[in-house]
Amino acid sequence: RKDRDKQRVHFSFKDDFYHMEQISYEHAGLDIISTEEFLKAEAMTGRLRNKTSGEVIFPPNNRTDWDGMDPKPLKEYLRDVTLTPLTWQPDSCIAAFPSDDGPEHTRELTDMLEEIKKDFPGYRKYKDRPTDVNAEPLERLKEAVAGRVKDLCIYDEEMQAADVVHFMCYHKMRVRLLTHFY
């Protein structure tokens, strides 16, 4: 603690833990921007509306730069103006995104999981033998769920139709999109 003023103490989820921008370079249609860029482009232009009343609502104090600030007011604001899935809990399901929009592509995912459940694999099967990243989706999904979870959190038609989906992190409800593997 004595060298705290010499050490970096603030880290960005986007830049320091997950290289989200790199993912967006590799996947067309996935655009990664900062929270500040998002708030300037969407909130400050009046595009975000209260889910209940439909009224345009701006961020608390019209703030777009939340670096170093208490994020609680921003989180509450985002929950009011976005679709916020509360069932995406890493202990009970794994995130799954259909190959395209439409219910038939969501069904493909649920059908794959049902196939896997017939002979649910243990994680030891994959120890020191990872599935090839170019393998068929069924084989990759088998490894992803092996010995862990028995359900999928699917980016479904409701989320696909929403203007904004906010995958919040709320520890009391055990809700979050990304989590560590250990």
Side-chain angles (χ1 to χ4, degrees), residues 14 19 31 35 47 60 70 72 90 92 122 132-133:
K14 174 181 158 247
H19 297 282
D31 299 318
T35 300
R47 293 186 179 141
D70 177 7
K72 186 176 179 182
S92 61
D132 188 345
V133 295

Side-chain angles (χ1 to χ4, degrees), residues 23-172:
I23 294 171
S24 71
Y25 296 139
E26 296 176 14
H27 298 281
L30 180 63
D31 299 318
I32 306 296
I33 60 174
S34 69
T35 300
E36 183 176 9
E37 290 171 304
F38 169 77
L39 292 172
K40 284 179 178 178
E42 299 298 321
M44 299 310 292
T45 58
R47 293 186 179 141
L48 298 183
R49 298 178 175 273
N50 180 283
K51 292 184 294 192
T52 306
S53 70
E55 175 186 349
V56 171
I57 299 182
F58 296 96
N61 301 316
N62 289 332
R63 178 181 299 279
T64 58
D65 181 0
W66 288 82
D67 288 348
M69 304 295 294
D70 177 7
K72 186 176 179 182
L74 175 62
K75 290 177 180 182
E76 291 171 352
Y77 165 75
L78 290 173
R79 291 173 192 162
D80 286 341
V81 297
T82 63
L83 176 63
T84 309
L86 298 177
T87 58
W88 284 48
Q89 299 173 333
D91 293 341
S92 61
C93 61
I94 187 169
F97 295 81
S99 59
D100 207 340
D101 61 350
E104 66 275 13
H105 299 287
T106 300
R107 245 187 330 277
E108 287 174 359
L109 288 171
T110 57
D111 289 349
M112 280 193 279
L113 184 62
E114 290 308 312
E115 181 67 26
I116 292 168
K117 285 181 177 180
K118 292 176 184 173
D119 185 25
F120 199 74
Y123 70 92
R124 286 189 171 90
K125 174 181 178 179
Y126 300 99
K127 187 174 183 198
D128 298 322
R129 293 175 296 208
T131 301
D132 188 345
V133 295
N134 294 322
E136 291 296 315
L138 179 64
E139 295 306 313
R140 294 189 347 253
L141 186 58
K142 280 182 184 178
E143 181 180 15
V145 301
R148 295 182 186 104
V149 297
K150 296 185 179 175
D151 208 355
L152 299 177
C153 292
I154 298 178
Y155 184 73
D156 60 18
E157 293 83 16
E158 179 186 19
M159 289 184 221
Q160 293 168 23
D163 290 333
V164 179
V165 179
H166 172 57
F167 293 101
M168 70 177 187
C169 178
Y170 187 44
H171 299 289
K172 288 181 181 178

